[in-house]
Amino acid sequence: MPDTCHTIMPTGYCFFLLNLAAGILFASLLFSCTPEAQNRENVDPESYYADLRGKMVDFQIEKRGVRDKRVLDVMTKTPRHLFVPEALRPQAYDDTPLPIGDGQTISQPYIVGLMTELLGLKGSERVLEIGTGSGYQAAILAQLAAEVYTIEIIPDLAKRAENVLTEIGCRNVHVRNSDGYQGWPEEAPFDAVIVTAAPERIPQALVEQIKPGGRLVIPVGRDLQELFLGIKTARGLDLKSVVPVRFVPMVKGRN
């Protein structure tokens, strides 16, 4: 086959392209030798992630209306990057959900902050979480409540989350591999229940496991989903729609 550069393009144009390519290569080599590039390579990983966490809280969470100082402080110091696959750690503090395997995701940081604030935790509560996923939401709750009971239906995710939670020292989190639709009846009632996957309807078993005056934060719906805050009253559950959301479906166990 003939040299396509000389059979298709004018000689002068080829010479221009070669010079352009050489210029780009030189610029890239020059940039890689700049102090800024060297500083990025030499930066301490913990300082790097701490800086990203601070920016995440400032620009993604607080500026969007989350005001609970305890929630903001906890999210500033919790190492979110440890809860995502290693290849995705540079993106752990981005304004987006991320895949964690088995068709599941870790929620967008703002949604974690919003849902946590809606629980209104003061520190003495017993909280039930449905949908452990990565374990990040449980780690946030563990620093804001007395005890956290979290259920994950996918065995690999449950085990992985439990390992990371143990690694970072969350001793008040209890992980169970089970069907979240059934809740955790032997540990009920709970002061608050948070659900991090979307059922089409609110499971009655979860409502029954909330104390009077307790709170439920849950996304509901199939194609169109809404995040609801529910308050347990003598009449049942007083619901308020908070914001449209998009969560993975809540999986029901097989009987």
Side-chain angles (χ1 to χ4, degrees):
M1 179 179 291
D3 187 332
T4 54
C5 181
H6 289 89
T7 57
I8 296 177
M9 300 179 186
T11 303
Y13 186 60
C14 287
F15 184 73
F16 166 75
L17 289 178
L18 289 172
N19 277 319
L20 178 62
I24 292 172
L25 176 61
F26 177 76
S28 65
L29 290 173
L30 180 64
F31 178 76
S32 68
C33 295
T34 62
E36 181 182 355
Q38 292 174 352
N39 287 340
R40 281 201 305 272
E41 292 176 359
N42 296 329
V43 70
D44 174 58
E46 292 308 312
S47 298
Y48 171 73
Y49 285 124
D51 181 60
L52 291 182
R53 279 197 298 275
K55 291 176 180 176
M56 175 191 76
V57 171
D58 289 345
F59 296 106
Q60 299 178 38
I61 301 172
E62 187 172 12
K63 284 191 184 309
R64 288 180 179 167
V66 175
R67 294 288 181 262
D68 188 321
K69 188 176 185 303
R70 294 180 69 233
V71 173
L72 297 174
D73 287 347
V74 165
M75 294 191 72
T76 299
K77 67 182 182 181
T78 303
R80 180 179 165 92
H81 60 281
L82 297 182
F83 292 90
V84 304
E86 190 168 355
L88 295 178
R89 287 184 179 179
Q91 304 169 49
Y93 300 97
D94 289 356
D95 186 20
T96 183
L98 293 171
I100 56 172
D102 294 284
Q104 305 301 299
T105 61
I106 182 173
S107 295
Q108 176 189 17
Y110 166 68
I111 291 296
V112 174
L114 173 63
M115 293 178 71
T116 305
E117 182 177 61
L118 289 171
L119 292 175
L121 301 175
K122 304 302 180 187
S124 60
E125 296 86 356
R126 298 171 74 253
V127 180
L128 173 65
E129 179 194 26
I130 306 299
T132 312
S134 69
Y136 176 68
Q137 177 71 79
I140 298 297
L141 297 172
Q143 301 168 79
L144 298 168
E147 299 289 335
V148 178
Y149 298 83
T150 181
I151 297 175
E152 174 55 56
I153 197 168
I154 300 174
D156 287 348
L157 287 183
K159 185 61 179 175
R160 196 182 313 152
E162 186 173 28
N163 288 342
V164 178
L165 289 164
T166 299
E167 178 185 336
I168 67 171
C170 293
R171 308 300 180 195
N172 59 337
V173 179
H174 314 278
V175 181
R176 169 182 275 189
N177 171 219
S178 186
D179 182 354
Y181 277 87
Q182 308 306 316
W184 203 321
E186 60 268 38
E187 294 294 343
F190 298 97
D191 299 286
V193 175
I194 181 172
V195 183
T196 60
E200 293 188 29
R201 291 175 295 277
I202 297 175
Q204 184 58 32
L206 299 184
V207 178
E208 294 171 356
Q209 292 175 32
I210 304 172
K211 288 181 179 180
R215 295 189 171 206
L216 170 67
V217 175
I218 183 171
V220 180
R222 187 174 179 179
D223 298 323
L224 298 175
Q225 299 175 2
E226 289 184 80
L227 183 66
F228 286 94
L229 168 63
I231 307 293
K232 182 77 170 285
T233 70
R235 301 183 305 276
L237 199 61
D238 184 9
L239 284 174
K240 173 187 176 183
S241 176
V242 179
V243 67
V245 289
R246 188 66 180 171
F247 279 79
V248 296
M250 184 171 169
V251 178
K252 192 174 183 63
R254 296 178 180 177
N255 295 326

